[in-house]
Amino acid sequence: MRLVKPYMSFPNALVDAAPAYLGHFINGEEVLDRSRTGDVFNPAVGEVRLKVGLASQSTVSDAVTAAAAAFPAWRQTPPHKRAQILFRYKQLLQDNAEKICQLITAEHGKLIDDAHGELGRGIEVVDYACGISELLKGEYSKNAGPEIDSWSEFQPLGVVAGVTPFNFPAMVPMWMFPMAIACGNTFILKPSERDPSPALLLGKLLTDAGLPDGVFNVINGDSDTVQHLIEDARVEALSFVGSTPIAESIFTRCSAKGKRVQALGGAKNHAVILPDADLENAVNALMGAAFGSCGERCMAISVVVCIGDETADKTVALLQNKISNLKIGPGVDASNDMGPLISQEALQRVTQYIDKGVAEGAELLADGRGFSLAGHESGFFIGATLFDKVHPDMSIYRDEIFGPLLCVLRVDSLGAAIKLIDEHEFGNGTCLFTRDGEAARYFTDNIQVGMVGVNVALPVPIASQSFGGWKRSLFGDLYVYGPDAVRFYTRRKTMTQRWSASSATDKARYAFPSG
Ligand code: NAD
C-alpha cells in the first residue's frame, strides 16, 4: 500500500514517541511505501524502536521524478538565493539540535554530546555552503585570441544521490547534500536503514527553511533500493560512504552506467607514538579516538604503533588504567564515556574478533566480552578491549572491526612504523605523537594516508578543506565537502566567444586555430 501524507508527524512525534512506521520524504511529503520494511533498534535496550520502509523501484522512481522536476527552476535560482535558504537552515538546525541528537542517540546509541559533536560538524558544512556565490565563480580569460574572450563556468549536474552509513546518521549526509544543493543540483538521500530518523528530520527542516519541494528527498531502504537508484539513468552522480566491499562495488556499478561516483570506504587508522611524545596527553587523545562512539568511526584509531618497548610498556600501562575506569552505558546519560554498538550482529562480530585475537596469540590486556549492564541486559553493549604484541599477520590487525578494540604493535623505528602503515590495505587517517618537528615533517610528507594528524588523534578536516582517504579507503578522485565538493557536484563548461570590432570578412583558414 502506498500513501502520501504531509510530513507533520515530524519532528516531535519522531522524538517523543517513535512512530510505528517510518516512510520516505519525497517532494516535501511523507510517502508510505509498506511493500517491504526493516527493523530499527534502540541499541541501548536491544528492542525494535520502529519499522522503516524499504523503498521499492516505483518509490525510488517517484523520488527521481520529483527531483528531476525540481531541477530546472532550482538550477536557475541565483546562488545567493540558495544561500539564503541555507542560512535559514543553519538556524533551524541549531534551534532543533537537541531533537536531532536525541534521534541519533535513540537509533545509533552514541552519547548525546557525541551526537552534538557530529551535528556541529555537519552544520559547519552548511556554513561553508552558504558561501556558494564565491565558490561557484567561474574563470575568465580576456583576449584568449584576437577579439576572443573565453571563460569557464561550473554548472550543476542534475539529480544526484547520496548513500550513507549508520555511524554518522546526520554528519555524513550533511557532508553531501548542503554542497550538492548549493551547487544547484537536486538531491536524493538514502540513509542507513539502521538509523534513518535523523535524515527525515533534516529534510523537514530544509522545507521549513524554504527549500522548494523536490530539491531534497529521502528514500529509506537497503541494497535493493540503492540498486534501483543506480539503474535510474536520470541519476547523474552518486556519493557513497560505507564499508570498502560495498564502496568498491558501488564504484564499479556506477562507473559502468556512466555515472559520476565517489565512494568512501573503510579504515584501519594507526597512531604512532615516538619515545619523546607527551604520553599522558597522547593516551587521553587515544582513549577518545579508539573508544569514542564505541569505536564505530571511520577515523577511529584502532592500532597504536609504539616505537621501542619502553614507549610501548608505558603506553599500555596508561591505556589499561584508563580502560578500567571507562564508564559504559546508554548514550542518553551524559556521564557515560561509551555507549552500545549498533546491533546484535556488530556485537557478535566484535566478540568473534576478540576470540580470534586470543587464538592468533596476541596478548589480551582488557577483555570487553561478556559485558552486561543492569537494566540493559539486552542492549548491544561491549567493554573496551586492548591487545598488546599484535603481529601484522593477525586478522585483528588486518581487518576493519569497527568496534572498541585497540591493537598495540611494537616496532623499533619511525621508518618501520611508516612501512607498516603504507603496507596496510586502508589509508583513511593516521596520526603521530611527538615533540620532534623533523620527524613530524617527514611523517606528514611521506605517509601513504589521506588525512594525517600530528598530536591530533582524529584529524577530520574542517569544512573548508575536503575529507577523504587513500588506497582502499576511497574509490574515485574527489574527496567530500570543501572545494572538492564543488568540483564533484558541478560540470565545467567553457565558452569561447568572438565579437569583432570591424565588419571585415574573414577568409576561410584550414590550419588549426592558434594564437
Ligand atoms: P555499509 O557498507 O554496510 O552500508 C552503507 C550504506 O550502503 C547503507 O546505506 C546501506 O544500506 C548500503 N548498502 C549496504 N549494502 C549494499 C549493497 N550491497 N549495495 C548497495 N548499497 C548497500 O556500512 P555501514 O555498516 O552502514 O557503515 C560502517 C562502514 O562505513 C565502516 O566500514 C566505516 O569505516 C565506513 N565509513 C567510512 C567513512 C569514510 O569517510 N571513509 C565514514 C563513515 C563510515
Side-chain angles (χ1 to χ4, degrees), residues 21-44:
Y21 168 82
L22 199 68
H24 318 278
F25 182 67
I26 299 174
N27 219 13
E29 291 175 322
E30 190 184 5
V31 171
L32 310 180
D33 168 359
R34 293 181 197 271
S35 51
R36 288 188 309 131
T37 59
D39 291 335
V40 177
F41 284 81
N42 176 344

Side-chain angles (χ1 to χ4, degrees), residues 343-363:
S343 64
Q344 185 64 34
E345 295 72 39
L347 181 56
Q348 271 162 8
R349 181 180 152 82
V350 180
T351 304
Q352 280 164 6
Y353 269 105
I354 302 174
D355 296 344
K356 277 190 203 172
V358 173
E360 287 169 334
E363 204 173 296

Side-chain angles (χ1 to χ4, degrees), residues 428-448:
N428 213 38
T430 188
C431 76
L432 175 72
F433 288 98
T434 186
R435 290 185 169 100
D436 179 343
E438 187 184 347
R441 192 165 189 276
Y442 184 80
F443 185 78
T444 55
D445 197 23
N446 289 286
I447 200 78
Q448 299 295 301

Side-chain angles (χ1 to χ4, degrees), residues 263-278:
L264 284 74
K268 194 84 177 178
N269 306 308
H270 299 59
V272 179
I273 306 195
L274 283 179
D276 70 348
D278 173 346

Side-chain angles (χ1 to χ4, degrees), residues 73-128:
W74 184 242
R75 81 178 276 264
Q76 294 299 350
T77 303
H80 74 275
K81 299 265 184 208
R82 295 183 214 141
Q84 282 166 9
I85 294 171
L86 290 168
F87 273 117
R88 285 196 291 276
Y89 187 50
K90 180 187 170 184
Q91 187 60 51
L92 289 173
L93 289 169
Q94 287 169 332
D95 294 347
N96 289 276
E98 187 58 26
K99 282 183 180 136
I100 299 167
C101 293
Q102 281 179 32
L103 284 179
I104 295 172
T105 295
E107 294 182 1
H108 176 282
K110 66 177 70 175
L111 305 181
I112 195 86
D113 63 346
D114 194 22
H116 277 281
E118 86 156 271
L119 181 64
R121 277 306 187 94
I123 291 174
E124 284 176 20
V125 181
V126 177
D127 252 345
Y128 182 73

Side-chain angles (χ1 to χ4, degrees), residues 200-211:
L200 287 169
L201 181 45
L202 294 178
K204 190 264 179 199
L205 294 176
L206 271 172
T207 301
D208 291 352
L211 192 76

Side-chain angles (χ1 to χ4, degrees), residues 164-167 190 193-194 240-243 253 265 298 400 467:
T164 54
F166 79 85
N167 66 322
K190 205 302 282 173
E193 62 274 43
R194 285 183 270 179
F240 173 88
V241 176
S243 57
R253 284 185 275 161
C298 63
E400 182 185 45
F467 180 109

